[in-house]
Amino acid sequence: MQVKFWGTRGSLPVAMKADKVRGKIVQALQAARGKNLDDDQAIADFVDNELDFSVAGTYGGASSCVEIDFGNDEFVLCDMGSGLREFGFDSLRRINEGGKKGAYSFFMSHPHWDHIMGFPFFAPAFMPTNNLKIVGGHDIEFALRRQQDNPSFPVPLDWMGAPREFQVMKDGEVLDTGAFTVKIRKQPHHGDSYGYRFEKGGKTVVYTTDAEHKLDDLDDFDAHIEFMRGADLVIFDTMYSMADAISVKEDWGHSSNIVAVDMCHQAGVKHLAMFHHEPVFDDAMILQNHTETIRYEELVRPGDDVLRISCAYDGLVIDV
């Protein structure tokens, strides 16, 4: 399996402004003082190996959209945030190159706007030669129609030419697609959200975002640990710090980096991908959160097995 992140922000997309770009350039030039950067390779090596990611790159600003490639000729997506637009264009390129066919399966966490807003701009949905299957625990069709109804959007859903199939899964249900199996789990969030456990060939990826797991709800806590049990990769909502999650942003429906690490340790997870980043955080703040999360994992690690921790960014690819 291969996982690619097309959108990693929570709540709404964000764009990097000119002052942030300028700040990165200034930091890079300051770090380059005294370096021998006389050729292009030396410059590339300096950028790749000596600059923090928050300076050399960016975590991006698109909202939730994650692709899981099971090695077959179909596309599998989790959520339809604004990152779906770029994925759509890339998928058409791959179809034209002959590696894929125009079959798309979506597994939706919930229909809040940041998770469906990319669909009106999803180019493959306008092509009758493609086929879309949209799966979730909610009535996703109603939500997609409503966001494209007047006066919100000029193009109604039925103007999109690709055939669509909607499927509602029940909490705990397991779907065997032939290419992989997927189990759905209801999560604590305003209006509910759903996580998905994907399995193929002894490998497991869990997509679990927009959920607020509280220590005083032991039933949910224990059940979610079992849902993640032994996963090779868990994509987890780490929108808030623990301090925010238990104070000013309690009951806002999201989790923290600390809860993510604790749950992954108890579940025996191999790799955690921090996801659904707070839109007010800039790259430096997200990097700091990542660094502090790695340090926390080291301090509370229950044994010798290291929990690998990545901080998802738009464009990140993880092989499972």
Side-chain angles (χ1 to χ4, degrees), residues 1-3 5 66-70 78 181-183 195-200 202-208 227-228 230-235 271 318-320:
M1 281 187 278
Q2 187 180 77
V3 176
F5 295 85
V66 178
E67 178 185 4
I68 304 178
D69 191 337
F70 290 95
C78 293
T181 61
V182 56
K183 182 177 183 179
Y196 296 92
R197 180 184 176 98
F198 299 90
E199 298 186 33
K200 179 186 178 181
K203 296 291 187 179
T204 300
V205 172
V206 174
Y207 179 78
T208 171
F227 183 67
M228 301 192 306
D232 297 278
L233 173 67
V234 170
I235 302 162
H271 190 172
I318 297 177
D319 290 313
V320 180

Side-chain angles (χ1 to χ4, degrees), residues 80-95:
M80 300 173 172
S82 63
L84 182 64
R85 176 181 177 274
E86 185 178 354
F87 161 79
F89 296 135
D90 187 77
S91 72
L92 294 177
R93 174 190 61 80
R94 285 183 272 171
I95 291 171

Side-chain angles (χ1 to χ4, degrees), residues 225-246:
I225 288 170
E226 289 306 313
F227 183 67
M228 301 192 306
R229 179 71 62 191
D232 297 278
L233 173 67
V234 170
I235 302 162
F236 198 104
D237 175 356
T238 57
M239 189 168 184
Y240 301 142
S241 68
M242 190 64 176
D244 282 346
I246 62 174

Side-chain angles (χ1 to χ4, degrees), residues 74-80 84 87 101-108 119 122 124-125 130-136 138 140-141 144 162-169 173-180 182 196 198:
E74 298 183 356
F75 296 103
V76 176
L77 282 298
C78 293
D79 282 332
M80 300 173 172
L84 182 64
F87 161 79
K101 64 180 183 181
Y104 299 82
S105 292
F106 293 89
F107 292 87
M108 302 297 298
F119 190 69
F122 180 50
N130 297 324
N131 289 277
L132 314 181
K133 183 174 183 178
I134 302 168
V135 180
H138 300 84
I140 302 297
E141 182 176 10
L144 295 181
R164 298 179 301 273
E165 174 189 352
F166 292 90
Q167 179 176 349
V168 178
M169 291 182 69
E173 185 178 351
V174 177
L175 175 65
D176 187 345
T177 70
F180 58 90
V182 56
Y196 296 92
F198 299 90

Side-chain angles (χ1 to χ4, degrees), residues 9 239-241 244 277-283 285-286 289:
R9 288 280 179 169
M239 189 168 184
Y240 301 142
S241 68
D244 282 346
H277 305 309
E278 167 66 66
V280 302
F281 287 178
D282 62 15
D283 289 319
M285 295 171 73
I286 295 175
N289 193 31

